[in-house]
Amino acid sequence: SSELTQDPAVSVALGQTVRITCQGDSLRNYYASWYQQKPGQAPVLVIYAKNDRPSGIPDRFSGSSSRNTASLTITGAQAEDEADYYCNSRDSIGSQFGGGTKLTVL
Amino acid sequence: EVQLVESGGGLVQPGGSLRLSCAASGFTFSSYEMNWVRQAPGKGLEWVSYISSSGSTIYYADSVKGRFTISRDNAKNSLYLQMSSLRAEDTAVYYCARDLGSTSWYFDSWGQGTLVTVSS
């Protein structure tokens, strides 16, 4: 099956905007979902479908997609947003995750 | 409140077997598709298996196909993962995850995970 590729690490200054990207062939056919994972905790869904947020997820999180690339944007990053972020997409035989992006808030 | 609680992890020798359970509460379990997702120590997430709400449709990742079996008991609000022929590379925290609905493949609720260690 195809892969989902993410940058291993990204940093952002407190209060600034950061975009985390995910590339893969499956994204041409399916929307990505995005998960936030903090150390020692289970992942949390933050964005799904075209640009939907589960209840309780701040509106500074947003998603977009173009061709084979999905993006998670955090507008006005907060210290508590420091975490690992994983994209996910269904594919022809199930589901797959990207390798994850470690976000550091400076 | 949606709750998913995994159990059954532990230390097992290579080639051995283990059965994981996930107890669900706070929602109508029989209406939701479920998944297992794992995470090796210090590594990323890996989708393992999916089961439809009725149990009639099942998918597996290639890495576990033929060795792992997913099942569910809707009367007991429980999800299971029977693992056999275990290998060192199966060492991971195993999470059960609920599908958002309508086979969306979006995982909206997760358990806290149970650690499986395959080692001699």
Side-chain angles (χ1 to χ4, degrees):
Chain A
S1 61
S2 62
E3 296 181 349
L4 296 178
T5 302
Q6 297 182 240
D7 291 329
V10 171
S11 61
V12 60
L14 184 67
Q16 296 304 300
T17 297
V18 62
R19 175 175 292 181
I20 298 170
T21 61
C22 173
Q23 288 188 306
D25 287 342
S26 63
L27 299 176
R28 296 182 184 275
N29 300 309
Y30 304 110
Y31 286 118
S33 52
W34 290 92
Y35 301 84
Q36 177 193 70
Q37 187 180 34
K38 297 180 180 180
Q41 297 183 18
V44 173
L45 178 66
V46 295
I47 290 290
Y48 64 98
K50 190 172 184 179
N51 181 22
D52 290 340
R53 282 177 288 107
S55 61
I57 301 301
D59 61 5
R60 63 178 178 272
F61 290 88
S62 62
S64 62
S65 66
S66 177
R67 299 188 185 93
N68 71 331
T69 301
S71 300
L72 172 71
T73 300
I74 307 174
T75 304
Q78 301 300 302
E80 60 265 32
D81 299 335
E82 186 162 290
D84 294 327
Y85 290 85
Y86 295 90
C87 62
N88 176 275
S89 168
R90 66 173 297 181
D91 63 16
S92 58
I93 58 170
S95 179
Q96 57 182 331
F97 286 92
T101 297
K102 182 177 183 60
L103 176 66
T104 299
V105 180
L106 304 172
Chain B
E1 179 194 2
V2 173
Q3 276 204 314
L4 298 169
V5 180
E6 301 92 339
S7 61
L11 176 64
V12 60
Q13 292 188 338
S17 299
L18 208 58
R19 188 198 198 203
L20 306 184
S21 299
C22 171
S25 61
F27 65 102
T28 305
F29 179 72
S30 60
S31 297
Y32 286 84
E33 295 110 326
M34 298 294 295
N35 295 265
W36 287 99
V37 176
R38 69 184 180 182
Q39 186 170 35
K43 302 298 184 181
L45 301 172
E46 180 187 13
W47 172 79
V48 173
S49 184
Y50 157 97
I51 187 167
S52 62
S53 56
S54 67
S56 61
T57 301
I58 285 172
Y59 301 112
Y60 297 101
D62 287 343
S63 58
V64 306
K65 200 173 295 182
R67 301 186 300 121
F68 289 11
T69 301
I70 191 172
S71 63
R72 64 190 296 161
D73 185 336
N74 286 342
K76 294 183 177 180
N77 293 335
S78 293
L79 175 72
Y80 306 102
L81 187 67
Q82 178 68 47
M83 305 184 295
S84 60
S85 303
L86 283 162
R87 307 165 180 166
E89 54 265 36
D90 296 318
T91 294
V93 173
Y94 284 74
Y95 297 99
C96 61
R98 188 183 78 167
D99 189 283
L100 182 64
S102 301
T103 320
S104 68
W105 292 94
Y106 306 135
F107 311 133
D108 72 331
S109 296
W110 298 63
Q112 85 290 347
T114 187
L115 176 63
V116 173
T117 303
V118 184
S119 174
S120 55

